Amino acid sequence: MSDQSSSEKKVIPIAVAAPEAAPPESPTGAMIRTLGLVSAICGLIIVGAYQGTYDAVAANKRIATERAVFKVIPAAKSIAEFVAQPGGGVSKVGAGDTAIPPGAVKFFAAYDETGKLAGIAAEGGAKGYADTVRIMFGYQPDCQCVVGIGVVSMRETPGIGDKIITDKDFLANFTALDLKLKADLSALANEVKAVKHGSKTNAWQVDAISGATITSRAVGKAINDSAQVLMPRLVPNLDKLKPS
Amino acid sequence: MTTADTPQTWDEFMEGVWRQNPVFVMVLGMCPTLAVTVSAINAISMGLATLFVLVCSCGLVSMMRKVTPKEVRIAVYIVIIATFVTAVDYAIQAISLALYDALGAFIQLIVVNCIILGRAEAHAAKNPPMPAMINAAGMGVGFTIGLLALGVVREILGAGTLLGVTLFGAGFQPWVIMVLPPGGFFVLGAWLLFFAWLERRKLRRSAQLTEVGQHV
Protein backbone atom coordinates (compact mmCIF):
# COMPACT_ATOMS: atom_id res chain seq x y z
CA MET A 1 0.00 0.00 0.00
CA SER A 2 2.70 2.52 1.00
CA ASP A 3 4.50 2.33 -2.32
CA GLN A 4 1.41 3.75 -4.00
CA SER A 5 2.57 7.34 -3.59
CA SER A 6 6.15 6.65 -4.61
CA SER A 7 5.12 4.86 -7.80
CA GLU A 8 2.69 7.66 -8.54
CA LYS A 9 5.49 10.23 -8.45
CA LYS A 10 6.88 8.93 -11.70
CA VAL A 11 3.57 9.56 -13.42
CA ILE A 12 3.18 13.14 -12.30
CA PRO A 13 5.58 14.85 -14.75
CA ILE A 14 3.56 13.41 -17.65
CA ALA A 15 0.33 14.83 -16.25
CA VAL A 16 1.95 18.22 -15.66
CA ALA A 17 3.56 18.23 -19.09
CA ALA A 18 0.24 17.68 -20.89
CA PRO A 19 -0.72 21.28 -21.68
CA GLU A 20 -3.74 20.74 -23.93
CA ALA A 21 -6.13 19.82 -21.07
CA ALA A 22 -8.92 22.38 -20.98
CA PRO A 23 -9.92 22.14 -17.30
CA PRO A 24 -7.39 23.49 -14.80
CA GLU A 25 -4.81 20.97 -13.69
CA SER A 26 -4.54 19.85 -10.14
CA PRO A 27 -1.34 20.83 -8.38
CA THR A 28 1.21 18.08 -7.97
CA GLY A 29 1.13 18.48 -4.22
CA ALA A 30 -2.61 17.82 -4.08
CA MET A 31 -2.28 14.58 -5.99
CA ILE A 32 0.52 13.30 -3.79
CA ARG A 33 -1.31 14.41 -0.66
CA THR A 34 -4.51 12.61 -1.65
CA LEU A 35 -2.76 9.42 -2.67
CA GLY A 36 -0.69 9.48 0.50
CA LEU A 37 -3.78 10.06 2.61
CA VAL A 38 -5.73 7.26 0.89
CA SER A 39 -2.78 4.89 1.25
CA ALA A 40 -2.46 5.69 4.94
CA ILE A 41 -6.18 5.18 5.63
CA CYS A 42 -6.30 1.97 3.60
CA GLY A 43 -3.13 0.67 5.22
CA LEU A 44 -4.68 1.15 8.65
CA ILE A 45 -7.91 -0.60 7.61
CA ILE A 46 -6.07 -3.61 6.14
CA VAL A 47 -3.73 -4.05 9.08
CA GLY A 48 -6.67 -3.65 11.45
CA ALA A 49 -8.69 -6.29 9.59
CA TYR A 50 -5.73 -8.68 9.55
CA GLN A 51 -4.99 -8.26 13.24
CA GLY A 52 -8.65 -8.43 14.18
CA THR A 53 -9.31 -11.70 12.36
CA TYR A 54 -5.93 -13.41 12.88
CA ASP A 55 -6.93 -15.50 15.90
CA ALA A 56 -10.29 -16.52 14.46
CA VAL A 57 -8.72 -17.54 11.13
CA ALA A 58 -5.99 -19.57 12.85
CA ALA A 59 -8.58 -21.29 15.06
CA ASN A 60 -10.74 -22.05 12.01
CA LYS A 61 -7.82 -23.63 10.18
CA ARG A 62 -6.95 -25.75 13.21
CA ILE A 63 -10.56 -26.88 13.62
CA ALA A 64 -10.77 -27.74 9.92
CA THR A 65 -7.64 -29.91 10.18
CA GLU A 66 -8.88 -31.60 13.36
CA ARG A 67 -12.25 -32.29 11.80
CA ALA A 68 -10.61 -33.85 8.75
CA VAL A 69 -8.46 -36.10 10.97
CA PHE A 70 -11.36 -37.08 13.26
CA LYS A 71 -13.39 -38.02 10.19
CA VAL A 72 -10.86 -40.60 8.99
CA ILE A 73 -10.03 -41.87 12.50
CA PRO A 74 -13.34 -41.87 14.37
CA ALA A 75 -11.80 -43.05 17.67
CA ALA A 76 -9.56 -39.99 17.83
CA LYS A 77 -10.00 -37.47 20.62
CA SER A 78 -6.82 -35.39 20.23
CA ILE A 79 -4.18 -34.95 17.56
CA ALA A 80 -0.53 -34.03 17.33
CA GLU A 81 1.35 -32.91 14.27
CA PHE A 82 4.55 -34.71 13.20
CA VAL A 83 6.95 -34.63 10.29
CA ALA A 84 8.75 -37.63 8.83
CA GLN A 85 12.31 -36.60 7.95
CA PRO A 86 13.92 -37.68 4.68
CA GLY A 87 16.53 -39.66 6.65
CA GLY A 88 13.85 -41.77 8.30
CA GLY A 89 13.23 -40.16 11.68
CA VAL A 90 9.99 -38.60 12.87
CA SER A 91 9.76 -35.50 15.01
CA LYS A 92 6.93 -33.61 16.61
CA VAL A 93 6.02 -30.19 15.26
CA GLY A 94 5.73 -27.62 18.02
CA ALA A 95 2.88 -25.15 18.20
CA GLY A 96 5.14 -22.28 17.19
CA ASP A 97 7.06 -23.54 14.18
CA THR A 98 5.07 -23.79 11.00
CA ALA A 99 7.95 -24.24 8.54
CA ILE A 100 8.40 -27.82 7.39
CA PRO A 101 11.97 -28.85 6.46
CA PRO A 102 12.44 -29.60 2.77
CA GLY A 103 11.72 -33.22 1.84
CA ALA A 104 9.88 -33.90 5.08
CA VAL A 105 6.30 -35.19 5.08
CA LYS A 106 3.70 -33.87 7.47
CA PHE A 107 1.30 -36.24 9.18
CA PHE A 108 -0.97 -36.33 12.21
CA ALA A 109 -0.97 -38.82 15.06
CA ALA A 110 -4.41 -39.27 16.60
CA TYR A 111 -4.98 -40.46 20.16
CA ASP A 112 -8.09 -41.83 21.82
CA GLU A 113 -9.37 -40.67 25.21
CA THR A 114 -6.97 -42.91 27.15
CA GLY A 115 -3.99 -41.39 25.28
CA LYS A 116 -3.38 -44.50 23.20
CA LEU A 117 -2.41 -44.11 19.54
CA ALA A 118 -5.65 -44.44 17.60
CA GLY A 119 -4.23 -44.03 14.14
CA ILE A 120 -2.24 -41.89 11.73
CA ALA A 121 -3.68 -39.38 9.28
CA ALA A 122 -1.79 -38.05 6.28
CA GLU A 123 -2.61 -36.01 3.24
CA GLY A 124 -2.09 -36.92 -0.37
CA GLY A 125 -2.88 -35.33 -3.71
CA ALA A 126 -3.06 -36.38 -7.35
CA LYS A 127 -4.37 -34.87 -10.54
CA GLY A 128 -8.04 -35.59 -11.02
CA TYR A 129 -10.38 -34.65 -13.83
CA ALA A 130 -10.55 -30.90 -13.18
CA ASP A 131 -7.82 -30.16 -10.68
CA THR A 132 -5.73 -31.78 -7.99
CA VAL A 133 -7.80 -33.99 -5.70
CA ARG A 134 -6.44 -33.62 -2.17
CA ILE A 135 -7.45 -36.28 0.31
CA MET A 136 -6.75 -37.14 3.93
CA PHE A 137 -6.46 -40.84 4.74
CA GLY A 138 -6.46 -42.61 8.08
CA TYR A 139 -3.87 -45.33 8.66
CA GLN A 140 -4.10 -48.04 11.27
CA PRO A 141 -0.67 -49.44 12.34
CA ASP A 142 -2.18 -52.71 13.68
CA CYS A 143 -3.47 -53.86 10.30
CA GLN A 144 -1.11 -51.66 8.24
CA CYS A 145 -4.07 -50.49 6.26
CA VAL A 146 -6.12 -47.45 5.34
CA VAL A 147 -9.25 -47.25 7.46
CA GLY A 148 -10.95 -44.17 6.04
CA ILE A 149 -10.58 -41.27 3.65
CA GLY A 150 -11.88 -37.74 3.48
CA VAL A 151 -11.60 -35.15 0.74
CA VAL A 152 -9.62 -32.03 1.67
CA SER A 153 -10.22 -30.18 -1.58
CA MET A 154 -11.30 -30.98 -5.11
CA ARG A 155 -13.04 -29.37 -8.05
CA GLU A 156 -14.40 -32.49 -9.71
CA THR A 157 -17.64 -32.40 -11.67
CA PRO A 158 -20.65 -32.28 -9.33
CA GLY A 159 -22.76 -35.40 -9.61
CA ILE A 160 -19.96 -37.38 -11.29
CA GLY A 161 -16.48 -36.98 -9.83
CA ASP A 162 -17.72 -35.86 -6.44
CA LYS A 163 -19.30 -39.28 -5.87
CA ILE A 164 -16.01 -40.19 -4.21
CA ILE A 165 -17.44 -38.49 -1.11
CA THR A 166 -20.82 -40.21 -1.15
CA ASP A 167 -20.57 -43.51 -3.06
CA LYS A 168 -20.87 -46.25 -0.42
CA ASP A 169 -19.32 -48.98 -2.56
CA PHE A 170 -16.35 -46.78 -3.29
CA LEU A 171 -15.85 -45.78 0.34
CA ALA A 172 -15.95 -49.47 1.28
CA ASN A 173 -12.56 -49.74 -0.44
CA PHE A 174 -11.05 -47.74 2.37
CA THR A 175 -12.14 -49.75 5.38
CA ALA A 176 -9.12 -52.10 5.09
CA LEU A 177 -6.98 -50.99 2.16
CA ASP A 178 -3.70 -52.86 2.41
CA LEU A 179 -0.56 -50.69 2.86
CA LYS A 180 1.86 -53.43 4.00
CA LEU A 181 5.54 -52.71 3.43
CA LYS A 182 8.12 -54.93 1.76
CA ALA A 183 10.26 -57.00 4.10
CA ASP A 184 13.12 -54.48 3.95
CA LEU A 185 10.67 -51.60 4.68
CA SER A 186 11.84 -49.70 1.59
CA ALA A 187 8.47 -49.30 -0.12
CA LEU A 188 4.93 -50.63 -0.15
CA ALA A 189 4.69 -54.33 -0.92
CA ASN A 190 1.93 -53.62 -3.44
CA GLU A 191 1.19 -50.42 -5.25
CA VAL A 192 -2.20 -48.97 -4.36
CA LYS A 193 -4.09 -48.60 -7.59
CA ALA A 194 -7.61 -48.03 -8.81
CA VAL A 195 -8.93 -50.81 -11.03
CA LYS A 196 -11.97 -50.93 -13.32
CA HIS A 197 -15.28 -51.13 -11.51
CA GLY A 198 -16.01 -54.67 -10.40
CA SER A 199 -12.54 -56.11 -11.01
CA LYS A 200 -11.05 -55.62 -7.55
CA THR A 201 -9.46 -58.85 -6.35
CA ASN A 202 -6.79 -57.79 -3.85
CA ALA A 203 -6.87 -55.76 -0.66
CA TRP A 204 -4.53 -53.12 -2.09
CA GLN A 205 -6.73 -52.36 -5.07
CA VAL A 206 -9.35 -49.63 -5.26
CA ASP A 207 -12.58 -50.51 -7.02
CA ALA A 208 -13.22 -47.45 -9.21
CA ILE A 209 -16.62 -45.80 -9.53
CA SER A 210 -18.13 -46.57 -12.90
CA GLY A 211 -18.22 -43.28 -14.83
CA ALA A 212 -15.80 -41.54 -12.48
CA THR A 213 -12.70 -43.58 -13.22
CA ILE A 214 -10.31 -40.64 -13.48
CA THR A 215 -11.30 -39.26 -10.10
CA SER A 216 -11.16 -42.75 -8.56
CA ARG A 217 -7.69 -43.24 -9.98
CA ALA A 218 -6.61 -39.91 -8.55
CA VAL A 219 -7.67 -41.06 -5.08
CA GLY A 220 -5.70 -44.30 -5.46
CA LYS A 221 -2.65 -42.46 -6.74
CA ALA A 222 -2.85 -39.84 -3.99
CA ILE A 223 -2.80 -42.56 -1.32
CA ASN A 224 -0.07 -44.50 -3.09
CA ASP A 225 2.25 -41.53 -3.66
CA SER A 226 1.89 -40.33 -0.11
CA ALA A 227 2.19 -43.77 1.50
CA GLN A 228 5.20 -44.79 -0.60
CA VAL A 229 7.14 -41.90 0.96
CA LEU A 230 5.64 -41.79 4.42
CA MET A 231 5.24 -45.44 5.43
CA PRO A 232 8.89 -46.54 5.10
CA ARG A 233 9.84 -43.64 7.38
CA LEU A 234 6.94 -44.04 9.76
CA VAL A 235 6.65 -47.77 10.44
CA PRO A 236 10.09 -48.23 12.12
CA ASN A 237 9.37 -45.20 14.29
CA LEU A 238 5.84 -45.94 15.50
CA ASP A 239 7.01 -46.08 19.13
CA LYS A 240 8.10 -42.44 18.91
CA LEU A 241 4.51 -41.31 18.45
CA LYS A 242 3.75 -41.58 22.17
CA PRO A 243 1.75 -38.61 23.42
CA SER A 244 3.85 -36.12 25.31
CA MET B 1 -42.18 1.84 -8.95
CA THR B 2 -41.64 5.18 -7.23
CA THR B 3 -43.55 8.42 -7.49
CA ALA B 4 -42.50 12.01 -7.03
CA ASP B 5 -43.74 12.28 -3.46
CA THR B 6 -41.73 9.34 -2.08
CA PRO B 7 -38.83 10.44 0.12
CA GLN B 8 -35.60 11.15 -1.69
CA THR B 9 -33.63 8.53 0.24
CA TRP B 10 -36.10 5.76 -0.54
CA ASP B 11 -35.91 6.68 -4.20
CA GLU B 12 -32.13 6.63 -3.99
CA PHE B 13 -32.23 3.17 -2.40
CA MET B 14 -34.77 1.66 -4.79
CA GLU B 15 -32.78 2.73 -7.85
CA GLY B 16 -30.37 -0.17 -7.37
CA VAL B 17 -32.91 -2.60 -6.01
CA TRP B 18 -35.31 -2.30 -8.91
CA ARG B 19 -35.10 0.36 -11.63
CA GLN B 20 -31.34 0.01 -12.23
CA ASN B 21 -30.90 -3.49 -10.80
CA PRO B 22 -27.25 -4.33 -11.51
CA VAL B 23 -27.93 -7.93 -12.56
CA PHE B 24 -31.25 -7.78 -14.41
CA VAL B 25 -31.30 -4.25 -15.81
CA MET B 26 -27.70 -3.12 -16.17
CA VAL B 27 -26.35 -6.69 -16.60
CA LEU B 28 -23.15 -5.82 -14.72
CA GLY B 29 -20.93 -8.03 -12.61
CA MET B 30 -21.69 -11.15 -14.61
CA CYS B 31 -18.48 -12.92 -13.63
CA PRO B 32 -19.44 -13.60 -9.98
CA THR B 33 -23.12 -13.81 -10.96
CA LEU B 34 -22.53 -16.82 -13.17
CA ALA B 35 -19.68 -18.39 -11.22
CA VAL B 36 -20.73 -18.51 -7.58
CA THR B 37 -24.50 -18.96 -7.83
CA VAL B 38 -24.44 -22.77 -7.63
CA SER B 39 -26.21 -22.57 -4.27
CA ALA B 40 -28.33 -20.08 -2.38
CA ILE B 41 -25.86 -19.73 0.50
CA ASN B 42 -23.00 -18.91 -1.87
CA ALA B 43 -25.20 -16.34 -3.59
CA ILE B 44 -26.16 -14.68 -0.30
CA SER B 45 -22.57 -14.62 0.95
CA MET B 46 -21.24 -13.18 -2.28
CA GLY B 47 -24.04 -10.62 -2.36
CA LEU B 48 -23.41 -9.51 1.22
CA ALA B 49 -19.65 -9.31 0.68
CA THR B 50 -20.22 -7.13 -2.38
CA LEU B 51 -22.80 -5.05 -0.48
CA PHE B 52 -20.30 -4.38 2.30
CA VAL B 53 -17.54 -3.39 -0.11
CA LEU B 54 -19.95 -1.19 -2.09
CA VAL B 55 -21.25 0.74 0.91
CA CYS B 56 -17.85 1.22 2.58
CA SER B 57 -15.95 2.16 -0.57
CA CYS B 58 -18.67 4.50 -1.82
CA GLY B 59 -18.76 6.17 1.60
CA LEU B 60 -15.00 6.70 1.63
CA VAL B 61 -14.87 7.78 -2.02
CA SER B 62 -17.62 10.29 -1.32
CA MET B 63 -15.84 11.65 1.76
CA MET B 64 -12.65 12.08 -0.24
CA ARG B 65 -14.37 13.50 -3.32
CA LYS B 66 -13.41 17.13 -2.65
CA VAL B 67 -9.72 16.36 -2.12
CA THR B 68 -9.41 13.85 -4.97
CA PRO B 69 -7.84 15.42 -8.09
CA LYS B 70 -9.47 13.97 -11.21
CA GLU B 71 -6.11 12.82 -12.58
CA VAL B 72 -5.63 10.27 -9.82
CA ARG B 73 -9.25 9.40 -9.07
CA ILE B 74 -9.21 5.89 -10.56
CA ALA B 75 -6.10 5.01 -8.55
CA VAL B 76 -7.81 6.31 -5.42
CA TYR B 77 -11.00 4.33 -6.10
CA ILE B 78 -9.14 1.10 -6.78
CA VAL B 79 -7.00 1.41 -3.65
CA ILE B 80 -10.10 2.06 -1.54
CA ILE B 81 -12.06 -0.82 -3.10
CA ALA B 82 -9.11 -3.22 -2.79
CA THR B 83 -8.77 -2.30 0.87
CA PHE B 84 -12.34 -3.24 1.75
CA VAL B 85 -12.15 -6.40 -0.36
CA THR B 86 -9.08 -7.44 1.63
CA ALA B 87 -10.98 -6.79 4.85
CA VAL B 88 -13.92 -8.91 3.61
CA ASP B 89 -11.50 -11.63 2.57
CA TYR B 90 -10.15 -11.88 6.13
CA ALA B 91 -13.62 -11.64 7.61
CA ILE B 92 -14.93 -14.56 5.54
CA GLN B 93 -11.90 -16.68 6.48
CA ALA B 94 -12.68 -15.90 10.09
CA ILE B 95 -16.37 -16.79 9.71
CA SER B 96 -16.15 -20.01 7.71
CA LEU B 97 -13.32 -21.67 5.81
CA ALA B 98 -15.78 -23.89 3.93
CA LEU B 99 -17.53 -20.80 2.60
CA TYR B 100 -14.17 -19.25 1.76
CA ASP B 101 -13.23 -22.32 -0.28
CA ALA B 102 -16.62 -22.35 -2.03
CA LEU B 103 -16.34 -18.71 -3.10
CA GLY B 104 -12.70 -19.18 -4.08
CA ALA B 105 -11.03 -16.46 -6.09
CA PHE B 106 -14.28 -14.57 -6.54
CA ILE B 107 -13.87 -12.80 -3.21
CA GLN B 108 -10.63 -11.19 -4.38
CA LEU B 109 -12.22 -10.53 -7.77
CA ILE B 110 -14.75 -8.19 -6.13
CA VAL B 111 -11.98 -5.61 -6.63
CA VAL B 112 -12.65 -5.57 -10.35
CA ASN B 113 -16.43 -5.91 -10.06
CA CYS B 114 -17.64 -3.21 -12.43
CA ILE B 115 -20.68 -2.43 -10.25
CA ILE B 116 -18.44 -1.06 -7.51
CA LEU B 117 -16.08 0.99 -9.66
CA GLY B 118 -19.11 2.14 -11.66
CA ARG B 119 -20.90 3.35 -8.54
CA ALA B 120 -17.78 5.12 -7.26
CA GLU B 121 -17.30 6.94 -10.56
CA ALA B 122 -20.93 7.61 -11.47
CA HIS B 123 -22.48 8.38 -8.11
CA ALA B 124 -20.26 8.49 -5.02
CA ALA B 125 -17.76 10.91 -6.60
CA LYS B 126 -20.52 13.48 -7.13
CA ASN B 127 -22.68 13.10 -4.02
CA PRO B 128 -22.33 13.57 -0.25
CA PRO B 129 -21.55 10.44 1.82
CA MET B 130 -25.09 9.73 3.04
CA PRO B 131 -26.87 9.57 -0.34
CA ALA B 132 -23.85 7.82 -1.82
CA MET B 133 -23.96 5.08 0.81
CA ILE B 134 -27.75 4.70 0.53
CA ASN B 135 -27.48 4.41 -3.23
CA ALA B 136 -24.64 1.90 -2.84
CA ALA B 137 -26.68 -0.10 -0.33
CA GLY B 138 -29.55 -0.23 -2.84
CA MET B 139 -27.21 -1.47 -5.54
CA GLY B 140 -25.75 -4.05 -3.16
CA VAL B 141 -29.21 -5.29 -2.15
CA GLY B 142 -30.20 -5.41 -5.82
CA PHE B 143 -27.09 -7.42 -6.62
CA THR B 144 -27.78 -9.79 -3.72
CA ILE B 145 -31.37 -10.28 -4.92
CA GLY B 146 -30.09 -10.98 -8.42
CA LEU B 147 -27.57 -13.54 -7.21
CA LEU B 148 -30.15 -15.13 -4.94
CA ALA B 149 -32.64 -15.44 -7.80
CA LEU B 150 -30.05 -17.44 -9.72
CA GLY B 151 -28.73 -19.36 -6.73
CA VAL B 152 -32.14 -20.54 -5.53
CA VAL B 153 -33.19 -21.81 -8.96
CA ARG B 154 -29.87 -23.51 -9.64
CA GLU B 155 -29.68 -25.16 -6.23
CA ILE B 156 -33.25 -26.47 -6.39
CA LEU B 157 -32.91 -27.83 -9.92
CA GLY B 158 -29.27 -28.90 -9.78
CA ALA B 159 -29.05 -30.39 -6.31
CA GLY B 160 -32.65 -30.76 -5.11
CA THR B 161 -31.92 -28.71 -2.00
CA LEU B 162 -32.49 -25.19 -0.74
CA LEU B 163 -29.96 -23.72 1.70
CA GLY B 164 -28.76 -27.29 2.19
CA VAL B 165 -32.21 -28.67 3.12
CA THR B 166 -33.34 -31.52 0.90
CA LEU B 167 -36.62 -30.61 -0.78
CA PHE B 168 -37.53 -33.75 -2.63
CA GLY B 169 -37.61 -37.45 -1.81
CA ALA B 170 -34.82 -39.91 -2.47
CA GLY B 171 -36.22 -40.51 -5.95
CA PHE B 172 -35.23 -37.04 -7.12
CA GLN B 173 -32.60 -37.12 -9.82
CA PRO B 174 -30.68 -33.80 -9.71
CA TRP B 175 -30.49 -31.85 -12.93
CA VAL B 176 -26.72 -31.64 -12.64
CA ILE B 177 -26.18 -29.33 -15.60
CA MET B 178 -27.81 -26.56 -13.58
CA VAL B 179 -24.91 -26.36 -11.11
CA LEU B 180 -22.39 -26.54 -13.95
CA PRO B 181 -21.41 -23.40 -15.92
CA PRO B 182 -24.00 -23.90 -18.71
CA GLY B 183 -26.77 -23.92 -16.11
CA GLY B 184 -25.71 -20.43 -15.03
CA PHE B 185 -26.28 -19.14 -18.53
CA PHE B 186 -29.63 -20.94 -18.85
CA VAL B 187 -30.98 -19.55 -15.59
CA LEU B 188 -29.62 -16.03 -16.18
CA GLY B 189 -31.14 -16.05 -19.67
CA ALA B 190 -34.50 -17.15 -18.30
CA TRP B 191 -34.50 -14.39 -15.67
CA LEU B 192 -33.49 -11.74 -18.21
CA LEU B 193 -36.29 -12.93 -20.47
CA PHE B 194 -38.75 -12.64 -17.60
CA PHE B 195 -37.64 -9.09 -16.75
CA ALA B 196 -37.70 -8.04 -20.39
CA TRP B 197 -41.25 -9.39 -20.63
CA LEU B 198 -42.27 -7.46 -17.49
CA GLU B 199 -40.76 -4.29 -18.94
CA ARG B 200 -42.52 -4.73 -22.26
CA ARG B 201 -45.83 -5.42 -20.57
CA LYS B 202 -45.47 -2.27 -18.48
CA LEU B 203 -44.72 -0.21 -21.58
CA ARG B 204 -47.77 -1.63 -23.36
CA ARG B 205 -49.99 -0.89 -20.36
CA SER B 206 -48.86 2.71 -20.13
CA ALA B 207 -49.26 3.10 -23.87
CA GLN B 208 -52.85 1.86 -23.64
CA LEU B 209 -53.60 4.17 -20.74
CA THR B 210 -52.34 7.32 -22.43
CA GLU B 211 -53.69 6.21 -25.81
CA VAL B 212 -50.65 7.50 -27.60
CA GLY B 213 -49.08 4.15 -28.36
CA GLN B 214 -50.23 2.01 -31.21
CA HIS B 215 -50.43 -1.74 -31.16
CA VAL B 216 -48.07 -3.35 -33.54
Side-chain angles (χ1 to χ4, degrees):
Chain A
M1 284 293 108
S2 61
D3 62 350
Q4 182 72 34
S5 55
S6 62
S7 69
E8 207 54 46
K9 272 179 201 153
K10 293 171 198 135
V11 183
I12 288 155
I14 303 165
V16 174
E20 83 281 357
E25 286 164 19
S26 312
T28 309
M31 292 193 258
I32 293 176
R33 194 192 58 215
T34 303
L35 287 167
L37 181 65
V38 167
S39 304
I41 294 172
C42 293
L44 282 177
I45 294 173
I46 289 179
V47 173
Y50 178 74
Q51 300 272 348
T53 57
Y54 183 82
D55 291 337
V57 172
N60 264 349
K61 287 192 172 146
R62 204 188 56 242
I63 291 168
T65 310
E66 279 183 1
R67 215 174 270 161
V69 172
F70 291 172
K71 187 172 175 291
V72 294
I73 306 169
K77 284 286 173 288
S78 65
I79 62 169
E81 197 176 331
F82 286 85
V83 288
Q85 308 290 356
V90 297
S91 57
K92 192 165 182 174
V93 179
D97 38 295
T98 46
I100 291 168
V105 183
K106 194 174 75 168
F107 66 94
F108 301 93
Y111 306 100
D112 62 14
E113 61 264 88
T114 61
K116 238 174 87 241
L117 188 67
I120 312 287
E123 272 188 45
K127 179 94 185 69
Y129 189 76
D131 201 350
T132 303
V133 178
R134 300 202 63 79
I135 56 139
M136 174 88 80
F137 63 92
Y139 172 79
Q140 198 50 259
D142 303 341
C143 66
Q144 294 199 34
C145 62
V146 171
V147 290
I149 62 161
V151 172
V152 176
S153 68
M154 67 160 177
R155 296 202 302 137
E156 302 299 280
T157 318
I160 302 170
D162 71 352
K163 278 189 196 154
I164 58 168
I165 303 177
T166 51
D167 193 295
K168 287 196 175 60
D169 293 341
F170 183 70
L171 292 177
N173 285 306
F174 306 102
T175 49
L177 185 74
D178 184 51
L179 283 188
K180 281 196 182 63
L181 289 172
K182 284 183 188 157
D184 62 352
L185 304 182
S186 63
L188 296 186
N190 302 289
E191 195 183 341
V192 174
K193 212 171 174 180
V195 294
K196 200 165 157 288
H197 181 66
S199 64
K200 171 174 170 151
T201 48
N202 296 304
W204 56 84
Q205 287 173 330
V206 175
D207 191 15
I209 300 172
S210 173
T213 318
I214 295 175
T215 312
S216 309
R217 258 189 225 142
V219 174
K221 190 169 184 313
I223 295 175
N224 183 64
D225 292 359
S226 175
Q228 293 281 19
V229 177
L230 177 63
M231 292 311 154
R233 297 178 193 174
L234 172 69
V235 173
N237 294 301
L238 276 173
D239 54 324
K240 289 188 187 157
L241 300 181
K242 295 275 183 319
S244 50
Chain B
M1 225 19 226
T2 47
T3 55
D5 52 70
T6 45
Q8 185 69 35
T9 50
W10 181 246
D11 196 53
E12 199 83 77
F13 183 75
M14 287 311 288
E15 183 188 356
V17 176
W18 187 256
R19 273 175 295 127
Q20 291 291 320
N21 184 292
V23 175
F24 297 127
V25 180
M26 297 199 286
V27 199
L28 288 177
M30 285 300 108
C31 175
T33 302
L34 290 168
V36 303
T37 54
V38 294
S39 69
I41 189 73
N42 283 7
I44 293 173
S45 315
M46 188 70 196
L48 292 182
T50 310
L51 172 72
F52 173 81
V53 175
L54 252 172
V55 173
C56 293
S57 55
C58 281
L60 194 52
V61 163
S62 173
M63 279 180 240
M64 304 271 307
R65 73 189 189 285
K66 289 196 177 128
V67 295
T68 307
K70 64 182 187 321
E71 290 86 348
V72 296
R73 66 181 196 285
I74 300 294
V76 169
Y77 302 159
I78 288 293
V79 170
I80 289 173
I81 294 167
T83 298
F84 288 110
V85 169
T86 311
V88 163
D89 191 274
Y90 288 133
I92 292 182
Q93 283 187 60
I95 294 165
S96 162
L97 278 181
L99 187 62
Y100 186 74
D101 288 339
L103 296 178
F106 291 97
I107 293 293
Q108 287 94 320
L109 284 174
I110 298 176
V111 176
V112 288
N113 189 319
C114 40
I115 299 168
I116 301 176
L117 190 58
R119 274 301 96 187
E121 170 82 359
H123 194 277
K126 298 170 192 152
N127 289 284
M130 212 51 211
M133 284 166 81
I134 289 168
N135 183 277
M139 284 288 163
V141 171
F143 186 60
T144 308
I145 292 171
L147 291 191
L148 196 56
L150 262 81
V152 166
V153 172
R154 290 179 71 185
E155 191 181 341
I156 291 176
L157 295 179
T161 60
L162 184 56
L163 293 168
V165 181
T166 309
L167 294 181
F168 309 108
F172 178 74
Q173 182 72 41
W175 195 2
V176 172
I177 192 105
M178 282 303 170
V179 293
L180 297 178
F185 286 98
F186 286 144
V187 177
L188 179 68
W191 277 112
L192 288 178
L193 192 67
F194 174 70
F195 276 88
W197 173 78
L198 272 188
E199 185 68 25
R200 188 163 298 182
R201 198 184 63 157
K202 203 173 81 186
L203 280 179
R204 201 177 298 152
R205 285 263 171 88
S206 61
Q208 278 172 348
L209 282 174
T210 52
E211 294 183 347
V212 291
Q214 292 176 340
H215 294 287
V216 186

